Amino acid sequence: MSDHIYKKIELVGSSTVSSDDAIKNAIAKAAESVRNMRWFEVVETRGHIDDQQVAHFQVTVKIGFTIS
């Protein structure tokens, strides 16, 4: 088994639908320029309230990818 070296980036995904959708949006955007993604970690979940209702879900994720 070979050793791997990982790098982490931190992104905030947003969605009007759900926190899961916010995570998927962040990962999809990262996939446009980051290769070898292996895992993600949810660091923080928050939202935006407008007119007494949830308007946006915001999720901070760390995405790990191999660099070797």
Side-chain angles (χ1 to χ4, degrees), residues 18-66:
S18 69
S19 56
D20 285 350
D21 200 46
I23 294 167
K24 290 175 184 176
N25 288 343
I27 291 171
K29 191 63 175 177
E32 292 177 11
S33 60
V34 178
R35 294 180 292 155
N36 303 318
M37 291 188 295
R38 299 292 184 240
W39 50 266
F40 72 93
E41 169 188 359
V42 174
V43 178
E44 181 179 28
T45 303
R46 63 182 174 277
H48 173 238
I49 299 170
D50 189 21
D51 196 24
Q52 305 301 314
Q53 295 184 23
V54 175
H56 287 90
F57 297 87
Q58 300 169 330
V59 180
T60 303
V61 293
K62 291 183 180 180
I63 299 173
F65 57 96
T66 56

Side-chain angles (χ1 to χ4, degrees), residues 7-28:
K7 181 169 179 71
K8 291 193 293 186
I9 57 173
E10 187 172 276
L11 301 171
V12 178
S14 179
S15 171
T16 57
V17 177
S18 69
S19 56
D20 285 350
D21 200 46
I23 294 167
K24 290 175 184 176
N25 288 343
I27 291 171

